[in-house]
Amino acid sequence: MKKILLGLVMLFAISKISYGQNLDNPGDYMTAISNAHDDMNKKYMAYVSAASHGKRARKVDKLRTQAVEAITKSKYKTIDLPMYKGDNSLRQSSIEYIDLCYKVFNDDYAKIVNMEEIAEQSFDEMQAYLLMKEKVDEKLKEANKKMNKAEKDFAAKYNVTLVESQSELGEKMEITGKVNSYHKKVFLIFFKCNWQDNELTKALNNNKLNDAEQARSSLLKFVEEGLKGIDSLKTFNGDPTMSIACKSALMKYKQIAEKETPKKTDFFLKSENFEKMKKEFEKKKDRTQADVDAYNKAVKEFNSAVNISNQAGQNSNNLRNQLNEEWEKAEKDFFDRQIPYFKK
């Protein structure tokens, strides 16, 4: 699953200084506070960037751990800074921001890693997983807003002129957030059909005709709803990659449900009828030529139904393999094209 990104953090166009220098100048003091966030910001962006480029959360968990370590160091650096002429407002706001980042990366993202393991088990689990990521995103955005306000309030109090320019890091964070937001909407449409198709497959494998018919009907319904939904989402900044991939996948699911699955369910009925006829035929001691001819005809029809059912199953599997390959490629291409890579 692709990850939600932090909000934009304003950085200042002030030359960096070392902590050993005099911090009586309010601009230098603000820079020192900002510098304490530097490595932390880079490490957590490296984690989010890796996760956004098709890496599962558990596979990049080492980067999350590195982010947690950088956040901890950032707090130590901030604590080591003095108050500004008895004013602890900016320093305290920075510490509170860092504490929240620590909680998000140490606790919330750890929960997201665990939730990722079960998210694909049901549509409800996937929705809960995505909702958790949205809540984390909102939490980080609110924290950034508070930190930005604290910086602006401090600057206004001490007559520091800020140049609110978007940093390279901030720009990448903002872009990634928009890309992930669009992708999640498209992905839910795809996943709903994907999950329902899995339910259909399970029902067919267990020879449960009623369950299969219900799953087939639901899949067709979700496909129609999904096609309308994807049309309303349109493209992302003129990039139709995900929209095209989703439509293509949904049309293949429709083909599976509408054309291939009935051949499988029809076989269930023919198999059941053939077994009944076979038992009746085997019970008869005095078989007429008509009985034998009828039985041979039934055997021929049954064998034909077996071939048709097997071919339908193969066609369905080919369609599933094709749509999954196309979807995964489209996701990778979309994220590689739309999200700038970030390396620490």
Side-chain angles (χ1 to χ4, degrees), residues 53-321:
H53 281 276
K55 302 288 183 65
R56 295 183 69 87
R58 188 167 293 282
K59 289 188 176 181
V60 294
D61 201 45
K62 182 179 179 181
L63 293 178
R64 182 185 68 84
T65 301
Q66 291 175 356
V68 171
E69 293 172 354
I71 291 168
T72 301
K73 291 177 181 178
S74 179
K75 183 174 181 179
Y76 290 151
K77 290 178 181 178
T78 305
I79 290 174
D80 285 344
L81 291 171
M83 293 187 288
Y84 182 73
K85 297 181 179 179
D87 184 349
N88 196 39
S89 59
L90 184 60
R91 178 174 171 273
Q92 184 59 36
S93 293
S94 178
I95 291 172
E96 290 172 1
Y97 168 71
I98 294 169
D99 283 342
L100 188 137
C101 288
Y102 179 86
K103 185 178 185 306
V104 166
F105 279 84
N106 190 63
D107 299 337
D108 294 340
Y109 272 124
K111 290 177 183 177
I112 286 174
V113 170
N114 293 330
M115 289 179 73
E116 186 181 63
E117 298 298 313
I118 62 173
E120 296 181 1
Q121 293 181 9
S122 76
F123 186 71
D124 288 342
E125 293 288 355
M126 180 59 72
Q127 285 184 311
Y129 171 71
L130 295 177
L131 180 60
M132 175 68 176
K133 295 205 302 180
E134 287 176 357
K135 287 182 177 179
V136 171
D137 182 44
E138 288 304 314
K139 189 184 295 186
L140 288 166
K141 285 181 179 178
E142 285 303 312
N144 282 322
K145 285 181 182 179
K146 289 181 180 179
M147 188 64 214
N148 288 339
K149 184 177 184 303
E151 290 165 342
K152 290 178 180 179
D153 289 347
F154 184 89
K157 184 176 181 179
Y158 295 103
N159 298 315
V160 177
T161 300
L162 299 180
V163 179
E164 294 184 348
S165 59
Q166 189 165 317
S167 66
E168 179 185 5
L169 175 62
E171 182 180 6
K172 289 176 179 178
M173 288 162 60
E174 185 178 32
I175 293 171
T176 306
K178 291 178 180 178
V179 172
N180 281 335
S181 178
Y182 174 83
H183 171 264
K184 283 197 308 174
K185 294 173 184 177
V186 180
F187 174 76
L188 266 182
I189 293 173
F190 168 81
F191 180 78
K192 194 171 189 177
C193 293
N194 178 273
W195 180 82
Q196 191 60 49
D197 179 62
N198 288 336
E199 293 298 296
L200 173 60
T201 301
K202 284 191 287 185
L204 290 172
N205 290 340
N206 292 324
N207 295 328
K208 294 183 177 181
L209 182 57
N210 289 337
D211 290 351
E213 280 297 333
Q214 290 178 5
R216 187 179 83 90
S217 177
S218 294
L219 178 54
L220 286 171
K221 176 185 175 184
F222 293 158
V223 165
E224 292 306 314
E225 292 175 350
L227 289 172
K228 292 178 182 178
I230 200 66
D231 283 340
S232 67
L233 288 175
K234 299 180 181 178
T235 65
F236 180 81
N237 288 344
D239 185 345
T241 304
M242 294 311 305
S243 176
I244 291 173
C246 191
K247 281 185 179 180
S248 177
L250 265 54
M251 292 306 296
K252 288 181 176 63
Y253 281 130
K254 184 177 182 179
Q255 184 176 342
I256 290 170
E258 205 168 59
K259 296 183 179 180
E260 304 301 338
T261 301
K263 298 173 187 176
K264 298 283 291 182
T265 55
D266 182 60
F267 171 72
F268 291 163
L269 295 174
K270 289 183 177 179
S271 178
E272 185 177 335
N273 291 335
F274 176 74
E275 287 301 321
K276 290 179 181 178
M277 181 182 184
K278 182 180 178 183
K279 287 180 181 179
E280 291 297 322
F281 179 77
E282 290 175 346
K283 285 180 183 178
K284 288 185 177 182
K285 293 182 179 180
D286 298 324
R287 299 166 185 163
T288 65
Q289 186 60 44
D291 291 333
V292 173
D293 290 343
Y295 178 73
N296 288 336
K297 180 181 179 183
V299 170
K300 185 177 180 180
E301 290 176 349
F302 176 74
N303 289 334
S304 176
V306 169
N307 292 333
I308 291 173
S309 176
N310 288 340
Q311 186 61 55
Q314 185 61 52
N315 292 343
S316 296
N317 289 335
N318 289 341
L319 286 167
R320 291 184 181 105
N321 291 335

